[in-house]
Structure formats: structure tokens, C-alpha cells
Amino acid sequence: MHKGKFILFFCAFLAALTLGHAAQQIPISIETLTTKSDAVIQGKVIGIICKRDPDGRIFTEIRLNIVEQIKGNSNKKIFKMVSAGGILGSVRSGSVIAPKFKINEEVVVFLVFNSRGEAIPVGLNQGCFEVYNRAEKGPAMVRNAFHGSPKSTNSYAIIKRATGKFKPLTLAELKRRIRRAEK
């Protein structure tokens, strides 16, 4: 195989792989995320613990220091939510579209309460927005897999650029859209 054909084949393979990941989810609008959620919280991740439930399933408990409760009402300063999967010892469980969190990361999460009263993200990773650009000049920005400017390491970035959906989203605009959808 010629070098040029190999490079073309490899690029086509990477594009197909990226499109395969994107096909796993149908984008949910911010307005739909809002109406489906019981609560929307802006907070800073202060704790991440992986556990096993009584049936042996692995889940992750995430604790947030609440910055603002955008939807819903809670008088708590610390909010606990759960997400399916995680890494417990040498066992990894979960989905590629499950939300990922880091200690000290600021996030906005759209949540529903399950039958056990646990808060879980709406639409997996779609219900979680990373807040960034806090230390730099300019407004705070937000992003997830389908909204806002993607990270350069995000496989969806290629698709978003190609389809013209590469648009920055400020934290203020996200909050405005949430409040408007609540009315």
C-alpha cells in the first residue's frame, strides 16, 4: 500500500471512529435538559468516591460544594449525586458517555432524582457542563459534548467544526436559557 493511500485510509478510519461515538447519543437541547431535570446545580467537585451497591454494581458518588442552585430548592451547602460506573480497585465499569468529574473542577449539572432519592445527571454526559476560563480575563465559559466549544482532546470537536456547531457558550448565557426554559 502506498504511503498516501495508507494515510487516507487511516484518516477515514479515525473519522468513522469519531462518528461512531457521536452516533451513540442524540443531542439534547439546554431547554429540554432543563425541563427534564428536577434540579440544576452549579458547584465545585470536592469529593469523588467509587462504591459497590448491594447488587454488586459499581457506581461513583460525587460531592459538590454548591455555588448556586439554578433550579430546584435546597438549603444544603454540599450536594451529593451519583453516576453509574467508575473504577474500584482493578475493576473498571461504565460507559464512554458517562460523565467524568475531577476534584476542584467547577460544573453545572442537570439532575433528576431516582426512586432511591439519589440525584443522577440527565442524559449522562449531556447533563454535565464544565465551567472553564475562570482564571483568565473574560466571562466564565461552559461546555459539554454537544454545547459550547469542545476541548481539543474531544473527539466531537472534528464534527462540531465540520457542521458549524463550534460555538462558545458563556455561563451567563447557560443560566439565562435555563431560567427562560423554567417559565
Side-chain angles (χ1 to χ4, degrees), residues 92-147:
R92 176 180 283 222
S93 172
S95 165
V96 295
I97 58 175
K100 313 271 188 291
F101 298 95
K102 296 180 277 193
I103 296 290
N104 293 322
E105 173 183 47
E106 189 174 345
V107 294
V108 174
V109 287
F110 293 74
L111 303 160
V112 293
F113 294 97
N114 65 18
S115 60
R116 293 182 298 276
E118 301 164 321
I120 56 173
V122 174
L124 297 169
N125 62 349
Q126 292 193 59
C128 300
F129 285 76
E130 171 193 9
V131 179
Y132 67 102
N133 201 32
R134 281 292 203 190
E136 299 173 22
K137 292 181 180 177
M141 307 299 288
V142 293
R143 63 181 162 210
N144 72 5
F146 292 97
H147 300 283

Side-chain angles (χ1 to χ4, degrees), residues 41 47 49 51 59-66 74 76-83 111-113 117-120:
I41 293 177
I49 302 168
K51 299 179 178 182
F59 69 97
T60 302
E61 178 182 285
I62 301 101
R63 288 183 301 128
L64 300 174
N65 187 6
I66 295 177
S74 173
K76 300 176 184 178
K77 293 199 184 272
I78 306 296
F79 189 87
K80 183 172 66 170
M81 63 183 201
V82 296
S83 180
L111 303 160
V112 293
F113 294 97
E118 301 164 321
I120 56 173

Side-chain angles (χ1 to χ4, degrees), residues 10-71:
F10 186 70
C11 289
F13 172 76
L14 287 178
L17 185 63
T18 300
L19 289 171
H21 281 291
Q24 293 177 1
Q25 288 183 293
I26 296 170
I28 303 172
S29 72
I30 292 166
E31 291 73 18
T32 302
L33 286 169
T34 301
T35 57
K36 288 187 174 201
S37 66
D38 298 321
V40 180
I41 293 177
Q42 176 186 354
K44 189 170 187 178
V45 178
I46 58 170
I48 301 172
I49 302 168
C50 286
K51 299 179 178 182
R52 202 176 284 277
D53 72 8
D55 294 326
R57 295 176 296 224
I58 295 174
F59 69 97
T60 302
E61 178 182 285
I62 301 101
R63 288 183 301 128
L64 300 174
N65 187 6
I66 295 177
V67 173
E68 180 182 350
Q69 180 126 8
I70 304 166
K71 178 180 178 181

